[in-house]
Amino acid sequence: MVNIRMATVADLIEMQQCNLWCLPENYQMKYYFYHQLTWPQLLWVAEDFDGRIVGYVLAKMEENEDTTAPDYVPHGHITSLAVLRTHRKRGIATMLMRRAQLEMEQVMGAKYVSLHVRKSNRAAFHLYSETLAYEINDIERGYYADGEDAYDMRCTFAKHREREAAKKAAAAAAAAVTEVAEGVGKLVTA
């Protein structure tokens, strides 16, 4: 059993520790504090039954753009996502991401969210592209400190909602067809 909740300042040390255990990209504590002070609604943790932090998402709103420009679109960015190996394949990363995205859209007014992922990280790429409906926007050559390229990925919230609505409609249609087929089967056997 895992509890997803908004991070507090008291969680930052465990979040950093989780980052150090899971990822080659690490951040100084002042970076976590900066996120916590600036975008507290966008930091979420997963804690296990004994209160230990087993995953986190560190997110922010992009702020290095001219917000007065006519083509400005408010958007968020996923800085870091990590789940301890002992707790992977349980949907924790998906829950953390969905919660951060919900806050970005509903609280901060973001239209989309971006992130970077290593080209070699197939598991993360699958999570983002298949489960969370992110699309490749660009490839950043030599993005990481070791020179590896990154996919620059985006999830547009309106497009994501349309996809989800289409999936629900398809599932409802399939259920209706199944129900009709079962009814016909009962008539035939009667």
Side-chain angles (χ1 to χ4, degrees):
M1 175 82 172
V2 175
N3 178 40
I4 305 296
R5 64 170 174 78
M6 193 179 296
T8 67
V9 172
D11 297 319
L12 297 181
I13 290 173
E14 280 191 84
M15 289 171 66
Q16 185 183 41
Q17 190 65 48
C18 185
N19 171 266
L20 292 168
W21 284 332
C22 296
L23 300 171
E25 297 77 42
N26 308 125
Y27 308 101
Q28 293 181 9
M29 184 52 69
K30 66 182 180 181
Y31 196 57
Y32 291 90
F33 276 116
Y34 173 64
H35 275 70
Q36 179 66 41
L37 291 171
T38 311
W39 307 283
Q41 310 91 326
L42 303 182
L43 279 71
W44 291 83
V45 294
E47 62 182 2
D48 65 6
F49 65 93
D50 63 357
R52 185 174 61 123
I53 303 299
V54 297
Y56 73 89
V57 62
L58 187 67
K60 65 180 186 171
M61 292 299 291
E62 286 294 356
E63 59 183 0
N64 51 347
E65 297 178 21
D66 180 5
T67 59
T68 62
D71 61 342
Y72 171 73
V73 177
H75 61 280
H77 183 77
I78 302 297
T79 303
S80 182
L81 171 69
V83 175
L84 296 178
R85 286 193 189 280
T86 55
H87 288 74
R88 291 185 185 166
K89 299 289 185 189
R90 299 181 190 183
I92 296 171
T94 300
M95 289 186 287
L96 288 165
M97 288 289 290
R98 287 193 172 139
R99 189 60 209 219
Q101 290 174 178
L102 180 72
E103 297 293 322
M104 274 181 207
E105 182 181 21
Q106 293 185 355
V107 175
M108 309 301 250
K111 303 300 180 201
Y112 69 90
V113 58
S114 64
L115 58 79
H116 291 96
V117 62
R118 287 178 175 270
K119 285 183 74 176
S120 64
N121 191 341
R122 303 310 304 161
F125 182 79
H126 183 269
L127 168 70
Y128 300 135
S129 62
E130 299 299 321
T131 305
L132 297 170
Y134 279 69
E135 296 175 345
I136 296 171
N137 181 57
D138 198 3
I139 295 176
E140 302 267 348
R141 303 281 177 215
Y143 179 81
Y144 292 100
D146 62 4
E148 184 173 350
D149 297 344
Y151 290 120
D152 169 12
M153 301 185 79
R154 289 185 181 179
C155 177
T156 303
F157 296 130
K159 190 186 288 187
H160 181 70
R161 275 193 308 279
E162 289 172 10
R163 277 195 204 111
E164 290 300 312
K167 281 183 189 177
K168 286 181 181 176
V177 167
T178 301
E179 188 176 321
V180 168
E182 288 172 356
V184 168
K186 288 178 183 176
L187 286 174
V188 169
T189 57

